[in-house]
Amino acid sequence: MTALAILIALGPLSGSAAAIAGARARLAGVAQAAGALITFGCSLALLVLLEGRAPLAGWDGFLYVDPLGGFFLMTVAGVTLLAALGSIGYVTAQEDSGELSSFQVRLYFTFFGLFASLMLAALETGNLGLLFVLIEASTLASAALVGLEGRARSLEAAWKYIIISSLGVTIALAGTLFLFYSGSALHLGSNLGLTWPYLLVHARALAPQSLRLAFLLAVVGYGTKVGLAPMHTWLPDAHAEAPSPASAMLSAALLNTGMYAIIRFLAIAHGRLGTTYPRAVLLSFGFASIVIGALFMVRRGNFKRLFAYSSVEHMGIIAVALGFGGILGLYGALLQTLNHALAKAVLFLSSGDVSLRYRTKEASEVTGLLVAVPVTGGALLLATFAVLGSPPFGLFLSELTIVRAGFAYGSPVFPLLLLALLGLAFVAFARTTAGMVTGSPPAQLASPYRSRAAVAVTAAPLVLGLAVLLLLGLWIPAGLDAVLRHSIGAIG
Amino acid sequence: MESLSATSASGVLLDLSGVLILLLAFACLASKLFNRYVVYYGAQSAVLSFAAATAAVAFHSAELWILAALTLAVKGIAIPVAARRLLVTRLALKRDAAMSTGLSTSLIAGGALTAFAYLVTRPALLPHGTVAAAVVPLSTAVILLGSLSMVVRRHTVAQLIGWLVVENGVFLGAITLVATFPFIVEAGIFLDIVAGVLIMVVFVSGLTRQLAEASAAELRELRG
């Protein structure tokens, strides 16, 4: 199992290796996708192996994978696979049209692989210090992706991203310190003492006052990476300026990695502080994010910014679900994580195809997608419905679970507020995307791809992602259900 | 890990270093010349390295000795020298006038944040009489001051230095609070900082080239 865990983290580096060796976009992209496929396969195998066994632990707690970690690994690995498939067509087209130099292409794949690999490694460690190190390193790798195009706008977005996220993650490190300090009574001398499974078991011995501060700092700090309002300001810029497959990685993988860190702190906080305090913190940040996300979606403009604000909204929903707690709330939160990751990956990848064909990111300049590019237009339309929580897609199920959790938890005010905000988000989001897919397309649209294979490989992740989303809306496989239930046990 | 008492010799030295680090954070906040930021940051890191060495003596920890040496070499010397050469000399940056508040306002805000840091961390959180009770409020104040200078300063270089000051504040807290971070984690944090500074310097140079003046005040294309 250890070998599997190592393979998961190293898989995406295949693209980096190919790029460093000097491969062009197509070859590097295929290498990237092959590595991502291996990673995804290994993460599924690991999840199956973990079923009914003790968590994978080793190296003094530096390596630790339980069902919760395995679930996030599978999610991130799946998104990496979709984004790597999307990269082949997108980056090759950009290279062919001369928008990206061959140096930029090599930079792209080097940092894409590094970024994915660091996130996966962050999900595999039990040591809270190393978690910080890896998440900060993944920030740096992804900042290079955001600023890749080198224009003033993308550099500005990358600067905002790197400076805000680095500050945020540093605050999370301060939170980690206070967590260790709250464990003074435990004499945390060994490396094992600084791992979250140890702290979770010994949560009762932690000092509540510094634990409270630690939890708050961790939510603010890692919440910056998650994009919880009011720390979300980097998010729309970075998502809009990064190359589209990288935006998919940011929205569907990076945000989840940050949320995973918060969940680990939440589990420890639950063990000592009960549910009242963590609930207050998570509901505050969660609702703030949903409100901000929904309000900014009303504005029509850059469609990638629209998708980014929808990510803010969804991260808020997940935070609220974690705040509601209970079996329903946590189940809903995890299911929502997976569904949102799939839907948002499809949305950003189709936005990449749209911006290549229409040469714009302004929603008002895009019309007639369904006629001009049926596959991408259809994917965009279906993913829109999916991300807004319409049946029969997975997000309907997870959002329904979360609302039910809200009613079960007591005051009906919160779930009703959530429903109202979801309604607002629906109208705001669908208004823009409906305009994009309907109508008649502009007169001449040249295909940016040189071969039929490139067109097919661009469509593949869209179809794949939507198929899984639809499946998850109709039926939750028994294996996934078991994994989710075990994960909930780890959060408490 | 036993806590150091505040009245022991190393306790007093750590306390003193903490005060100096706080003063240097104030100096960074109040300064208006780019080369001064870099000098103050270097001096702050040197004091931090001294604090780490003090803790190393007190805790008999070889890892803390390595940490002290690394801090001096990387943060005290390498980053300031490189930042000076790459940013201040090559980009010919001199006066930084781009502040969103007046100097006196930001200093008063800094004082208020320091008081706030004491208010939050002092009373119930930390046992009295330990060195941690004396130093942790200082380190919290340094974190807040670094964040403040990132907020009020609009220039990218100033924001970069502000982040590094925050990082120093966290380290000061780490030395007194925990003193037992595994070495691999400490090394990783150092690697992150170095890589972060490198990438940020690339962005600063790129932005400076693009905008002629790398003032984040000019960065207002992306909104809403």
Side-chain angles (χ1 to χ4, degrees):
Chain A
M1 285 212 284
T2 311
L4 270 183
I6 296 172
L7 211 54
I8 289 173
L10 292 184
L13 288 177
S14 60
S16 310
I20 290 170
R24 292 178 47 95
R26 186 166 313 159
L27 184 62
V30 171
Q32 184 74 68
L37 187 63
I38 293 174
T39 293
F40 183 62
C42 289
S43 71
L44 285 182
L46 189 61
L47 257 187
V48 172
L49 283 175
L50 280 173
E51 180 63 40
R53 280 192 220 187
L56 168 63
W59 303 334
D60 253 11
F62 280 109
L63 176 68
Y64 185 90
V65 186
D66 64 351
L68 179 66
F71 171 75
F72 274 89
L73 277 176
M74 179 195 70
T75 310
V76 171
V79 170
T80 307
L81 178 59
L82 294 179
L85 284 172
S87 295
I88 303 177
Y90 186 85
V91 182
T92 308
Q94 292 253 294
E95 192 185 37
D96 289 344
S97 70
E99 296 219 355
L100 290 179
S101 68
S102 65
F103 177 66
Q104 280 172 314
V105 168
R106 271 184 283 151
L107 273 186
Y108 174 83
F109 282 107
T110 308
F111 282 106
F112 185 97
L114 204 59
F115 175 38
S117 162
L118 285 165
M119 277 191 296
L120 292 162
L123 297 171
E124 287 182 340
T125 186
N127 188 297
L128 288 160
L130 197 61
L131 181 72
F132 159 80
V133 169
L134 292 168
I135 288 188
E136 168 66 12
S138 72
T139 306
L140 300 175
S142 49
L145 290 177
V146 174
L148 184 79
E149 290 176 357
R151 290 192 297 259
R153 290 171 67 98
S154 43
L155 282 177
E156 175 189 338
W159 177 262
K160 230 170 146 178
Y161 171 46
I162 197 169
I163 205 77
I164 295 175
S165 296
S166 297
L167 179 63
V169 180
T170 309
I171 287 172
L173 180 65
T176 309
L177 284 177
F178 276 105
L179 175 63
F180 291 165
Y181 184 72
S182 75
S184 296
L186 295 170
H187 301 286
L188 302 169
S190 70
N191 288 345
L192 211 53
L194 307 179
T195 59
W196 79 263
Y198 182 88
L199 290 169
L200 188 61
V201 171
H202 296 85
R204 298 208 160 276
L206 301 176
Q209 254 141 349
S210 33
L211 182 58
R212 230 172 260 167
L213 187 59
F215 179 68
L216 187 61
L217 288 174
V219 172
V220 170
Y222 288 125
T224 310
K225 297 242 67 172
V226 176
L228 293 180
M231 294 85 70
H232 69 286
T233 47
W234 62 270
L235 196 145
D237 297 343
H239 284 63
E241 292 306 317
S244 289
S247 311
M249 286 292 282
L250 287 175
S251 173
L254 177 80
L255 306 190
N256 291 340
T257 310
M259 194 55 96
Y260 167 83
I262 290 181
I263 290 177
R264 290 304 195 194
F265 273 86
L266 174 68
I268 296 171
H270 269 166
R272 182 67 180 92
L273 302 173
T275 52
T276 317
Y277 179 76
R279 177 176 289 161
V281 172
L282 287 170
L283 286 185
S284 316
F285 282 111
F287 273 110
S289 311
I290 302 176
V291 170
I292 294 275
L295 287 183
F296 275 88
M297 277 195 273
V298 174
R299 212 177 97 161
R300 271 184 96 156
N302 184 324
F303 49 84
K304 286 180 81 181
R305 291 180 83 83
L306 174 76
F307 301 162
Y309 277 114
S310 155
S311 295
V312 174
E313 181 220 350
H314 276 91
M315 289 300 132
I317 294 174
I318 295 171
V320 164
L322 291 171
F324 285 155
I327 291 181
L328 274 178
L330 299 176
Y331 196 95
L334 294 177
L335 202 56
Q336 176 83 356
T337 305
L338 177 60
N339 285 323
H340 168 254
L342 287 167
K344 208 44 77 63
V346 171
L347 274 177
F348 272 114
L349 291 175
S350 52
S351 84
D353 191 38
V354 173
S355 62
L356 280 181
R357 287 174 189 270
Y358 286 74
R359 311 209 146 273
T360 179
K361 289 174 186 165
E362 290 302 315
S364 54
E365 294 171 25
V366 178
T367 48
L369 255 180
L370 268 178
V371 179
V373 208
V375 177
T376 307
L380 190 69
L381 188 63
L382 291 177
T384 296
F385 283 122
V387 90
L388 294 174
S390 328
F393 294 102
L395 279 116
F396 173 71
L397 206 61
S398 48
E399 283 174 7
L400 193 67
T401 315
I402 292 168
V403 171
R404 274 181 61 200
F407 282 115
Y409 138 64
S411 162
V413 176
F414 291 118
L416 287 176
L417 181 63
L418 181 60
L419 280 174
L421 287 168
L422 285 177
L424 173 65
F426 194 105
V427 176
F429 194 106
R431 196 172 70 113
T432 301
T433 46
M436 289 168 69
V437 292
T438 55
S440 53
Q444 67 278 25
L445 278 181
S447 169
Y449 308 106
R450 289 199 177 164
S451 65
R452 281 173 163 274
V455 177
V457 86
T458 307
L462 307 181
V463 176
L464 207 64
L466 279 174
V468 179
L469 258 180
L470 183 62
L471 185 76
L472 284 174
L474 301 173
W475 169 65
I476 294 178
L480 180 63
D481 184 64
V483 166
L484 289 175
R485 284 174 189 282
H486 283 137
S487 307
I488 291 169
I491 308 173
Chain B
M1 176 201 70
E2 68 281 26
S3 321
L4 279 178
S5 93
T7 45
S8 65
S10 27
V12 170
L13 281 176
L14 271 174
D15 200 357
L16 199 63
S17 317
V19 172
L20 274 176
I21 288 170
L22 180 66
L23 286 177
L24 284 163
F26 265 109
C28 262
L29 183 66
S31 160
K32 281 204 156 180
L33 297 170
F34 283 108
N35 53 5
R36 292 262 175 85
Y37 295 157
V38 178
V39 170
Y40 291 143
Y41 171 69
Q44 191 185 48
S45 308
V47 178
L48 187 63
S49 154
F50 174 74
T54 313
V57 173
F59 292 120
H60 307 289
S61 156
E63 286 179 1
L64 275 174
W65 275 116
I66 303 176
L67 189 64
L70 266 178
T71 306
L72 187 64
V74 175
K75 293 184 181 174
I77 298 169
I79 292 181
V81 168
R84 205 189 167 102
R85 189 164 300 165
L86 284 170
L87 299 176
V88 181
T89 313
R90 199 191 302 165
L91 300 179
L93 301 171
K94 286 202 179 70
R95 282 183 70 81
D96 175 19
M99 287 181 79
S100 46
T101 60
L103 199 58
S104 48
T105 318
S106 60
L107 278 176
I108 292 168
L113 284 177
T114 309
F116 176 74
Y118 271 86
L119 218 64
V120 175
T121 49
R122 193 79 193 245
L125 219 54
L126 305 156
H128 280 284
T130 61
V131 70
V135 176
V136 167
L138 289 170
S139 95
T140 312
V142 173
I143 294 173
L144 291 174
L145 282 176
S147 314
L148 179 66
S149 51
M150 286 173 80
V151 172
V152 299
R153 298 250 173 214
R154 293 198 190 137
H155 200 285
T156 45
V157 174
Q159 293 178 348
L160 167 56
I161 298 282
W163 175 58
L164 290 169
V165 168
V166 172
E167 198 87 53
N168 272 355
V170 174
F171 249 76
L172 179 66
I175 293 168
T176 43
L177 267 186
V178 186
T180 49
F181 252 141
F183 184 67
I184 183 168
V185 173
E186 304 273 19
I189 294 174
F190 260 97
L191 212 62
D192 276 350
I193 293 173
V194 172
V197 169
L198 278 177
I199 292 185
M200 287 184 199
V201 164
V202 171
F203 286 152
V204 172
S205 327
L207 280 168
T208 314
R209 242 183 294 121
Q210 297 254 359
L211 298 173
E213 195 205 355
S215 163
E218 308 294 318
L219 303 181
R220 43 184 65 212
E221 238 186 284
L222 299 172
R223 280 209 206 163

